[in-house]
């Protein structure tokens, strides 16, 4: 009778709650597949009772239950091996931790396992506390819709990080397992075989093997991280070089047009017109040089070389497109809390949009203003440009994927990227567009 009650009131709820916690790690509900959940609970409970009946020691029993849990998750839920192992580790790890906490609580009151086994009321109390802790963990995870995948973006680097954490979790589980075994053995009845010397070597070798795996995975992860940093750092420079080549080709094209015009005047012996044309070009050149000198002085305040390279290339593009670029840059923070790659995304996309919008204007009306500063409450980036006005009804849609003002209809990702990066750093975007002037102001609170 006691076996049946224990099986129904303890073993089945324990298995069901362990599965609930495992599924909750990936924001899955145990009730999504009820048949699989109840079958898992039944098989897990039967296996646990069978191993206890044939007197399997605590450590190999837990190891066998871990393997069984992983195998059942794979077969019943069709998850991949990595995910199933992680869920199996979560289940068995939760069981060991909760068991240890319950034992520690009662041992702290000078109540040991032999006394618990001999007292019905104490046994009921232990089982209720044991199951209640599982319920609390599962309830908290489901309430907050916990999903460990949110911590890892879907790329090769984060997959290795996920694998590294998984193997590290198993390593920690084994170490915790051995330590709790010592604790239970030393503080409870010696009749409970929770730690046997014949298994000590096995677990030590397993811990050593996992440590070697962790070292290998960590080395791979570090190499991938270095490659990613090099790639992200190099991308802004490559983009800047591409912009420079584009601007140089544009200037070359303009120069050929000017030479053609001057040559035409000279062939027709319109020397006066040729002189006026050259003088006009010289005046424009002087203005351009002054603007370039002023911009170069501003760029000297830029602390980040990738950002400086980006702004230099955009400055050259503006010169080629006859756009007046005015920059006012504060040399204080310059978003030092932001990763270079994310900062490049914001600046590059906003300036590209501004250049494209300004190009629709007459040359004498083309301008872009860039202000980058800091106040007592915030540091901000402000970009204003002339160009087509965005209708007020469309302002709320400009961050949607696919929204674009290009006549070709292509693009539509720039502002989406800007919004995503800004939100990631808890920033705010304020956009205004009226009377042929559009401005974006991005701000971050001082911390």
């Amino acid at each position: 009778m006691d076996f049946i009650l224990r099986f129904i009131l303890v073993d089945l709820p324990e298995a069901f709650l362990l599965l609930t916690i495992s599924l909750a790690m990936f924001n899955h509900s145990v009730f999504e597949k009820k048949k699989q959940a109840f079958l898992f609970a039944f098989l897990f409970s039967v296996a646990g009772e069978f191993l206890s009946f044939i007197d399997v020691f605590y450590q190999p029993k837990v190891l066998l239950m871990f393997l069984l849990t992983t195998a059942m998750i794979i077969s019943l839920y069709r998850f991949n091996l990595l995910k199933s192992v992680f869920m199996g580790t979560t289940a068995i790890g939760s069981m060991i931790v909760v068991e240890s906490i319950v034992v520690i609580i009662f041992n702290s009151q000078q109540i040991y396992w032999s006394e618990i086994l001999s007292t019905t009321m104490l046994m009921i109390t232990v089982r209720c506390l044991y199951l209640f802790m599982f319920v609390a963990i599962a309830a908290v995870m489901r309430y907050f819709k916990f999903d460990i995948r949110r911590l890892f973006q879907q790329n090769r680097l984060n997959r290795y990080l996920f694998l590294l954490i998984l193997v590290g979790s198993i390593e920690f589980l084994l170490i915790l397992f051995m330590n709790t075994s010592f604790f239970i053995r030393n503080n409870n009845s010696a009749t409970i075989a929770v730690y046997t010397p014949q298994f000590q070597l096995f677990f030590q070798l397993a811990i050593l093997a996992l440590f070697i795996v962790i070292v290998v995975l960590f080395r791979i992860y570090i190499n991938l991280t270095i490659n990613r940093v090099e790639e992200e750092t190099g991308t802004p420079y490559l983009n800047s070089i591409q912009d420079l080549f584009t601007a140089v080709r544009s200037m070359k094209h303009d120069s050929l047009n000017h030479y053609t015009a001057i040559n035409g005047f000279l062939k027709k012996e319109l020397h006066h017109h040729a002189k006026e044309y050259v003088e006009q070009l010289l005046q424009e050149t002087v203005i351009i040089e002054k603007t370039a000198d002023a911009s170069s002085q501003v760029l000297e305040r830029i602390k980040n070389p990738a950002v400086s390279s980006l702004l230099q290339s955009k400055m050259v593009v503006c010169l080629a497109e006859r756009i007046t670029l005015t920059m006012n840059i504060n040399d204080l923070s310059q978003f030092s809390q932001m990763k270079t790659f994310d900062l490049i995304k914001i600046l590059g996309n906003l300036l590209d949009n501004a250049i494209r919008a300004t190009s629709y204007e007459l040359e004498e009306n083309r301008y872009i203003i860039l202000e980058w500063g800091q106040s007592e409450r915030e540091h901000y980036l402000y970009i204003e440009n002339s160009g087509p006005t965005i209708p007020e009804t469309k302002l709320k849609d400009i961050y949607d994927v696919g929204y674009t003002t290009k006549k070709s209809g292509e693009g539509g990702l720039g502002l989406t990227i800007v919004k995503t990066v800004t939100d990631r750093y808890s920033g705010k975007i304020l956009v205004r567009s009226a009377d042929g002037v559009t401005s974006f102001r991005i701000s971050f609170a001082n911390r």
Side-chain angles (χ1 to χ4, degrees):
M1 185 66 180
D2 181 65
F3 168 77
I4 296 175
L5 290 176
R6 184 176 70 248
F7 185 81
I8 297 175
L9 300 179
V10 179
D11 293 341
L12 286 176
E14 175 194 30
F16 189 81
L17 290 169
L18 287 175
L19 178 63
T20 302
I21 294 172
S22 300
L23 291 171
M25 288 294 292
F26 295 90
N27 196 25
H28 295 309
S29 172
V30 71
F31 299 107
E32 292 176 359
K33 297 182 178 180
K34 297 179 182 179
K35 293 182 180 179
Q36 288 87 335
F38 287 114
L39 181 58
F40 174 92
F42 178 78
L43 294 175
F44 186 94
S45 302
V46 170
E49 288 293 342
F50 175 75
L51 293 175
S52 298
F53 177 76
I54 61 177
D55 293 327
V56 176
F57 291 120
Y58 181 73
Q59 289 155 315
K61 176 183 176 181
V62 171
L63 180 60
L64 290 172
M65 294 302 293
F66 165 72
L67 296 175
L68 178 64
T69 300
T70 303
M72 286 194 296
I73 290 174
I74 293 175
S75 60
L76 294 175
Y77 287 90
R78 304 299 179 185
F79 294 141
N80 60 52
L81 179 61
L82 182 61
K83 187 174 181 179
S84 300
V85 171
F86 195 94
M87 293 175 68
T89 303
T90 301
I92 303 303
S94 301
M95 184 181 69
I96 293 175
V97 171
V98 171
E99 283 179 352
S100 302
I101 292 175
V102 171
V103 171
I104 290 172
I105 290 174
F106 280 89
N107 284 182
S108 65
Q109 303 300 316
Q110 304 301 314
I111 301 175
Y112 299 104
W113 195 248
S114 57
E115 184 179 351
I116 293 173
L117 290 176
S118 62
T119 308
T120 304
M121 185 59 66
L122 283 176
M123 180 59 69
I124 294 175
T125 303
V126 167
R127 289 171 175 173
C128 290
L129 178 61
Y130 180 68
L131 294 178
F132 173 77
M133 294 181 69
F134 284 137
V135 171
I137 295 172
V140 170
M141 294 179 71
R142 293 303 299 150
Y143 178 79
F144 289 103
K145 296 182 179 180
F146 180 83
D147 191 342
I148 196 170
R149 290 172 296 187
R150 296 174 185 170
L151 305 177
F152 308 98
Q153 298 178 357
Q154 296 299 317
N155 57 51
R156 186 185 178 192
L157 178 64
N158 285 331
R159 283 196 293 270
Y160 272 101
L161 178 59
F162 184 84
L163 186 60
L164 182 61
I165 293 176
L166 173 60
V167 177
S169 300
I170 298 175
E171 172 94 343
F172 174 76
L173 178 63
L174 289 176
I175 295 174
L176 177 67
F177 185 60
M178 292 186 66
N179 290 334
T180 52
S181 298
F182 276 117
F183 177 83
I184 295 173
R185 183 192 66 177
N186 294 332
N187 292 276
N188 295 277
S189 173
T191 60
I192 303 176
V194 294
Y195 185 83
T196 53
Q198 56 263 41
F199 293 109
Q200 181 179 3
L201 179 61
F202 170 78
F203 282 98
Q204 288 178 343
L205 291 175
I207 291 172
L208 177 61
L210 288 175
F211 177 76
I212 295 173
V213 173
I214 289 174
V215 171
V216 173
L217 289 175
F218 184 73
R219 181 176 179 180
I220 295 174
Y221 178 76
I222 289 296
N223 289 333
L224 289 174
T225 302
I226 293 173
N227 293 336
R228 180 181 178 181
V229 170
E230 290 177 348
E231 180 182 349
E232 292 184 351
T233 304
T235 298
Y237 291 103
L238 293 175
N239 292 337
S240 298
I241 292 172
Q242 183 62 39
D243 288 340
L244 289 173
F245 277 127
T246 302
V248 168
R249 285 196 296 267
S250 177
M251 291 179 177
K252 178 181 178 182
H253 183 267
D254 288 344
S255 298
L256 289 175
N257 289 335
H258 294 316
Y259 294 148
T260 302
I262 294 172
N263 186 51
F265 287 137
L266 294 177
K267 283 183 176 180
K268 294 182 180 180
E269 298 184 354
L270 298 174
H271 302 289
H272 179 70
H273 290 82
K275 180 181 178 182
E276 289 181 350
Y277 192 86
V278 172
E279 288 177 351
Q280 183 179 354
L281 288 177
L282 288 174
Q283 290 176 357
E284 290 184 2
T285 302
V286 171
I287 295 173
I288 290 173
E289 287 182 353
K290 289 182 178 179
T291 304
D293 290 340
S295 299
S296 298
Q297 293 177 1
V298 173
L299 291 176
E300 291 177 357
R301 302 176 187 173
I302 300 294
K303 302 174 182 178
N304 191 315
V307 174
S308 178
S309 174
L310 172 73
L311 293 180
Q312 286 177 350
S313 65
K314 300 305 178 187
M315 181 182 70
V316 175
V317 172
C318 288
L319 291 175
E321 296 291 334
R322 298 291 193 272
I323 300 172
T324 301
L325 174 62
T326 304
M327 293 189 291
N328 182 16
I329 298 177
N330 191 309
D331 58 356
L332 294 178
S333 72
Q334 296 178 10
F335 299 176
S336 57
Q337 85 286 1
M338 187 179 294
K339 294 180 180 178
T340 297
F341 197 57
D342 290 331
L343 181 54
I344 291 296
K345 287 179 180 178
I346 291 179
L347 275 171
N349 281 296
L350 287 180
L351 285 173
D352 285 342
N353 286 349
I355 292 171
R356 184 176 62 254
T358 306
S359 64
Y360 295 133
E361 291 285 295
L362 297 175
E363 288 189 4
E364 58 269 20
N365 296 330
R366 297 177 183 178
Y367 78 88
I368 296 175
I369 297 175
L370 185 151
E371 293 184 7
W372 197 357
Q374 182 176 358
S375 65
E376 294 181 357
R377 297 183 178 179
E378 63 182 9
H379 37 275
Y380 63 90
L381 174 67
Y382 176 82
I383 294 181
E384 176 186 307
N385 64 270
S386 59
T389 301
I390 303 174
E392 187 174 354
T393 56
K394 296 290 185 180
L395 286 178
K396 65 179 183 302
D397 302 324
I398 61 177
Y399 305 113
D400 295 342
V401 176
Y403 179 87
T404 180
T405 58
K406 291 182 179 179
K407 295 180 180 180
S408 62
E410 298 176 353
L413 289 175
L415 291 179
T416 304
I417 295 173
V418 171
K419 184 70 165 59
T420 301
V421 175
T422 304
D423 289 344
R424 188 185 306 156
Y425 291 90
S426 303
K428 297 179 180 179
I429 301 180
L430 179 62
V431 56
R432 290 191 176 93
S433 186
D435 301 325
V437 176
T438 300
S439 64
F440 285 83
R441 189 180 190 276
I442 298 178
S443 60
F444 301 90
N446 290 330
R447 295 181 181 180

